[in-house]
Amino acid sequence: MSVVTSQDKLCRGRITNLPNLPPLPPPPPSSQLRVLEIPHEVVKFDYLGVIAGKNPDDPELKRLKAVNPLVQFPTLITPEGAPMTEAAAIILYLNERHGRNTPWGTSGLDPIQSAAFYRWLVFLPANVTPIMGHVEFPKRFVAIPESADSNLKSESDGVLKWIGDAGRKRRGEIWIVLEEHLGKGMQARRNEQKPFLLGTQDPTMLDVYLTLLANWATNHPRHTWMEEHTPILKSICEKIVAGSSIVRETLEENYCDAFMGKASHAKLLDEIP
């Protein structure tokens, strides 16, 4: 079957068999593959097993390591067998190959919109996503030597808490930057006919990317924090969810659907640091 052998293959992480924890936000390429109707295979992993190295002999993990030694999600294998990493790079690659002459393409953007599209598409994974690592995995950023004083070792939990607290503070600051410079900065270009981030009639993958991250990367409580601090971005994210069944399904499948009024899921997210 030529369609099968020429699939784009997306390797991504997902928490499984943990009823008290929601999965991490779905990588934007997973929505993009669906909205562009690209045949693909999704390979899912036990996310915590991968991070903790509990399943080193998992054949799919070995497959991922072979193409991405850093074991990062998402990883895309192109039909030609070329591995791709970095969410923004994958988005641009899929848009170039499959998004032309579709509402998701960027050829219709004017110079100001185009500049904003590339700037903020790279800004999100460069600034928003890394903070999630500081908040959720602070131990990655502290290495206490065995020769360290015992008192210092006993204080390590406090240090880890400081890293997490600083990460949460920085996370809020970054979202406020987005509100000021993307939300308000492009506001003059928006109207009822062109309501999306860049002042476009149809959403771009930047809209989708921001919406997926907004369900995870804002501060406590996630489902109300944006109302107070980033109301413009929250309104646009709600439009994306309302207007795209694929985005809605992607969010719902991953329990990241606070914008759809799923109070229980929003509460569940708020229990995670």
Side-chain angles (χ1 to χ4, degrees):
M1 297 285 291
S2 60
V3 174
V4 175
T5 57
S6 64
Q7 287 176 326
D8 279 330
K9 302 174 182 179
L10 181 72
C11 304
R12 54 151 303 200
R14 185 176 186 182
I15 295 176
T16 57
N17 302 320
L18 294 171
N20 296 322
L21 289 177
L24 291 176
S30 61
S31 290
Q32 188 180 16
L33 287 163
R34 294 164 72 176
V35 299
L36 294 177
E37 299 181 350
I38 304 169
H40 62 281
E41 170 196 4
V42 177
V43 180
K44 297 177 181 178
F45 294 93
D46 179 329
Y47 180 79
L48 292 185
V50 171
I51 293 299
K54 294 179 179 178
N55 306 313
D57 296 323
D58 185 319
E60 295 294 0
L61 176 57
K62 290 182 178 180
R63 177 185 174 195
L64 176 59
K65 277 187 173 181
V67 296
N68 187 345
L70 295 180
V71 194
Q72 294 174 322
F73 309 119
T75 293
L76 183 86
I77 309 299
T78 72
E80 298 76 24
M84 288 199 68
T85 63
E86 317 313 320
I90 294 172
I91 287 172
L92 294 173
Y93 165 82
L94 293 176
N95 247 21
E96 180 180 343
R97 285 200 57 179
H98 303 279
R100 294 180 181 180
N101 303 317
T102 75
W104 297 95
T106 56
S107 59
L109 300 180
D110 66 32
I112 291 178
Q113 291 171 324
S114 182
F117 175 83
Y118 288 107
R119 175 190 179 186
W120 298 110
L121 187 72
V122 174
F123 180 95
L124 293 177
N127 294 280
V128 175
T129 307
I131 295 296
M132 297 168 68
H134 287 79
V135 172
E136 296 167 34
F137 308 108
K139 288 184 179 180
R140 291 180 179 176
F141 305 96
V142 177
I144 300 176
E146 290 296 327
S147 59
D149 182 270
S150 59
N151 290 331
L152 178 60
K153 290 182 179 179
S154 67
E155 294 173 358
S156 62
D157 287 344
V159 173
L160 296 177
K161 182 179 183 302
W162 292 342
I163 294 173
D165 290 346
R168 293 181 189 91
K169 180 175 182 293
R170 181 61 175 165
R171 182 165 61 183
E173 293 170 351
I174 290 172
W175 276 89
I176 290 173
V177 167
L178 284 164
E179 174 78 359
E180 292 295 321
H181 294 271
L182 178 57
K184 295 179 181 177
M186 297 294 288
Q187 194 165 22
R189 290 176 164 265
R190 301 186 199 108
N191 54 45
E192 290 186 7
Q193 288 73 41
K194 299 179 178 181
F196 298 106
L197 281 172
L198 303 177
T200 55
Q201 183 176 351
D202 297 302
T204 67
M205 282 308 301
L206 177 63
D207 294 274
V208 175
Y209 199 171
L210 186 88
T211 301
L212 296 178
L213 286 178
N215 279 273
W216 188 268
T218 49
N219 288 350
H220 292 283
R222 290 178 175 83
H223 57 296
T224 58
W225 187 91
M226 292 185 77
E227 291 181 7
E228 180 179 354
H229 297 91
T230 59
I232 296 174
L233 297 183
K234 181 176 185 294
S235 175
I236 293 172
C237 289
E238 289 172 338
K239 289 182 173 68
I240 295 295
V241 171
S244 173
S245 60
I246 288 177
V247 173
R248 286 198 303 276
E249 290 167 5
T250 303
L251 293 173
E252 195 162 25
E253 289 167 2
N254 291 271
Y255 299 95
C256 294
D257 49 12
F259 288 122
M260 290 183 277
K262 298 292 181 69
S264 61
H265 291 170
K267 184 177 184 298
L268 196 60
L269 286 172
D270 286 338
E271 294 171 358
I272 309 301

